[in-house]
Amino acid sequence: MRFVDEYRDAGTARALSARIAELCEPGRAYAFMEVCGGHTHTIYKHGLEDHLPPAVSLVHGPGCPVCVIPMGRVDDAMHIARQDDVIMTSFGDMMRVPGSHGSFFDANAEGTDIRMVYSPLDSLKIARANPDRQVVFMAIGFETTTPSTALTVRRAAAEGLTNFSIFCNHITIVPALRAILDSPDVRIDGFVGPGHVSTVIGCRPYDFIPRDYGRPLVVSGFEPLDILQSIHKLLRQLRDRRCEVENQYTRVVAAEGNPVALAVIDEVLEPRPDFEWRGLGRIPWSAMRVRERYAAFDAERIFAPPGARVEDPKACQCGEVLTGVIKPWECKVFGTGCTPETPIGACMVSPEGACAAYYNFGRARHRATEPAKEMSRA
């Protein structure tokens, strides 16, 4: 295949769907977690659940970095942004994430200077253009976006910039997967593994999942046929009584990942002893911080935010959605008090959030098909 429409061919999808149904054992139900929010978006946008037999259900995982950032970290960012002569910069999907006192957009309306950027390098341009102000980049994301942040810090150091720093909220996927597998509430038969993260870290870091937990994982691309083929591979492993890490996304992901990207991350950043995740609590060694060598570019050292822990609103069930305990539409405020225009929880903010993806693409399909699938599973 060479063109994107080939990865969306309806005839091939129907053929894969039939092969998936053939692999299902009579009387058995299967639950697979798609780890990445990009997969969740594709599943709802293209109606992939309609191509799956009733015995196969998909569980939405914590692979949306905006969705798992706790409210306390948003409040800390607000604390930094409200300091004198500070310009905060952020990716667009962070701008509407609610803290306990509103979002970045709300803070802007009150006069705080928070600007949307498309790359951390845009923040460097702002720092060069405003030498009398401190520019702080809200660094967020899994290993996919971490290399660009690390490279930006390295460039700022090489240029001798003294008015640029990062508020580091980069997180890592492997400790989160381990925390999910250790949870007594989660029943998962296998994982549709993250594609973009794996372009950086490769496939080998997932070896602990089949070795220690007896679950298969298939690293998947993001087109509809990628995901269907990954589910087929998972079912084939279960049928054959195999348990291993497979790479469906071979056109992009190498087993060893990207050594250059990993090297620059290791140079600039180091693991934190622990970090709070929305819905998962504090997970040891699950996030990154700036190394001592680059302390001059660490906003946490410079501005010393309070670091208070803030509880989610009681009506919000993002934590249960992120761990696959409930589906988005089972949240009490989904589609009523919580919408993309007026989000209560972070899962409704990012396009990769399960709630936002389902709100935009899945509501009509759910009303028509989900009761029949639930009766069949029962």
Side-chain angles (χ1 to χ4, degrees):
M1 293 184 180
R2 294 181 298 160
F3 305 108
V4 68
D5 57 345
E6 295 178 277
Y7 291 93
R8 301 177 182 180
D9 181 73
T12 307
R14 284 190 290 268
L16 265 174
S17 178
R19 291 164 60 189
I20 287 171
E22 291 172 0
L23 287 172
C24 293
E25 297 179 14
R28 178 174 178 180
Y30 303 87
F32 300 129
M33 175 176 280
E34 85 274 1
V35 176
C36 184
H39 290 144
T40 304
H41 183 89
T42 299
I43 288 164
Y44 283 141
K45 181 178 180 180
H46 295 276
L48 293 190
E49 288 185 320
D50 293 340
H51 286 275
L52 299 176
V56 178
S57 61
L58 299 176
V59 178
H60 316 305
C64 165
V66 167
C67 302
V68 298
I69 188 168
M71 292 183 72
R73 295 295 287 184
V74 179
D75 286 0
D76 285 347
M78 296 276 204
H79 172 86
I80 295 171
R82 290 187 171 116
Q83 303 303 304
D84 293 338
D85 298 322
V86 167
I87 300 172
M88 175 75 75
T89 60
S90 169
F91 291 140
D93 55 358
M94 267 301 303
M95 296 294 289
R96 290 189 298 118
V97 175
S100 60
H101 304 292
S103 67
F104 285 178
F105 276 138
D106 296 325
N108 264 348
E110 297 168 358
T112 307
D113 194 348
I114 304 179
R115 306 182 189 183
M116 186 175 69
V117 295
Y118 294 96
S119 162
L121 291 174
D122 293 339
S123 303
L124 279 191
K125 293 179 183 178
I126 295 171
R128 296 186 196 108
N130 297 270
D132 57 335
R133 300 184 66 182
Q134 288 292 323
V135 177
V136 181
F137 173 61
M138 177 74 173
I140 188 169
F142 283 99
E143 291 93 340
T144 314
T145 56
T146 308
S148 61
T149 297
L151 283 167
T152 301
V153 170
R154 196 165 73 173
R155 178 173 292 187
E159 293 182 13
L161 285 178
T162 58
N163 67 326
F164 172 78
S165 60
I166 67 168
F167 181 47
C168 189
N169 294 275
H170 284 295
I171 49 180
T172 56
I173 193 63
V174 167
L177 293 177
R178 191 179 290 277
I180 289 170
L181 286 163
D182 286 336
S183 171
D185 298 326
V186 178
R187 300 290 182 268
I188 298 169
D189 296 293
F191 291 90
V192 177
H196 292 150
V197 165
S198 301
T199 64
V200 177
I201 69 172
C203 298
R204 296 191 182 106
Y206 308 120
D207 286 344
F208 77 97
I209 295 177
R211 183 188 66 238
D212 300 341
Y213 295 93
R215 306 289 201 283
L217 180 144
V218 177
V219 174
S220 176
F222 293 87
E223 292 300 323
L225 295 186
D226 287 327
I227 296 172
L228 288 175
Q229 186 181 43
S230 297
I231 293 170
H232 179 266
K233 286 178 176 291
L234 286 169
L235 286 166
R236 191 168 57 184
Q237 283 200 46
L238 294 174
R239 181 202 64 185
D240 298 341
R241 304 294 188 267
R242 292 184 291 117
C243 188
E244 57 194 55
V245 175
E246 282 191 84
N247 182 10
Q248 183 274 337
Y249 204 20
T250 53
R251 64 185 185 274
V252 175
V253 173
E256 69 278 7
N258 186 329
V260 176
L262 292 170
V264 73
I265 292 172
D266 186 60
E267 176 189 339
V268 177
L269 305 175
E270 64 183 4
R272 292 177 184 266
D274 73 340
F275 192 77
E276 183 184 356
W277 292 55
R278 186 188 295 255
L280 294 173
R282 304 197 75 87
I283 304 177
W285 308 107
S286 64
M288 308 299 287
R289 65 184 181 189
V290 179
R291 287 188 182 275
E292 181 67 31
R293 174 183 175 185
Y294 290 95
F297 304 95
D298 184 3
E300 287 186 81
R301 287 182 170 100
I302 297 168
F303 297 99
R309 189 177 188 277
V310 179
E311 294 288 343
D312 287 339
K314 290 184 178 179
C316 177
Q317 294 180 272
C318 274
E320 293 160 277
V321 172
L322 289 167
T323 53
V325 175
I326 65 171
K327 292 283 191 176
W329 61 85
E330 295 174 312
C331 175
K332 295 185 293 288
V333 294
F334 174 82
T336 54
C338 186
T339 68
E341 290 74 30
T342 57
I344 294 175
C347 294
M348 190 62 89
V349 173
S350 171
E352 293 189 354
C355 294
Y358 185 79
Y359 183 92
N360 289 325
F361 301 114
R363 289 176 293 164
R365 183 207 62 80
H366 166 69
R367 285 195 295 269
T369 65
E370 199 61 31
K373 292 189 82 171
E374 290 300 327
M375 287 182 65
S376 175
R377 290 191 191 106

